[in-house]
Amino acid sequence: FMNFASMDYFIMVAREKSMMDFLEANVCITRAEYSRLVHVTARRASRDLQTFIDSGVIRKRGAGRSVVYVKG
């Protein structure tokens, strides 16, 4: 039996894997690309990306509308 917390964890692991696969083939990813890739809203994408930054998986480059994310 899985609770919501562990389900959320597996969903995040799957999203992280999708993003890292994308970053194997591409230098960087934007929030919009991530959002389309894992089928989430822009707001959810921003939260996910911040989580990945906080855990050192990716780094943020640029500012404002020109922000991209690269492998940490």
Side-chain angles (χ1 to χ4, degrees):
F1 177 74
M2 262 213 229
N3 63 24
F4 287 118
S6 63
M7 216 164 84
D8 284 348
Y9 172 78
F10 286 111
I11 290 166
M12 280 301 285
V13 168
R15 288 183 191 158
E16 182 179 334
K17 173 149 182 15
S18 294
M19 179 187 64
M20 295 313 283
D21 289 347
F22 182 94
L23 287 173
E24 285 299 318
N26 302 271
V27 176
C28 61
I29 191 168
T30 65
R31 191 205 65 211
E33 286 169 333
Y34 174 82
S35 178
R36 281 193 301 272
L37 181 71
V38 298
H39 311 289
V40 294
T41 63
R43 187 169 175 184
R44 173 83 261 167
S46 293
R47 283 199 216 108
D48 284 5
L49 291 164
Q50 188 58 55
T51 299
F52 298 142
I53 290 167
D54 293 344
S55 61
V57 175
I58 57 173
R59 289 185 320 237
K60 190 174 181 175
R61 289 281 168 266
R65 293 180 56 79
S66 62
V67 167
V68 296
Y69 302 88
V70 297
K71 279 198 265 188

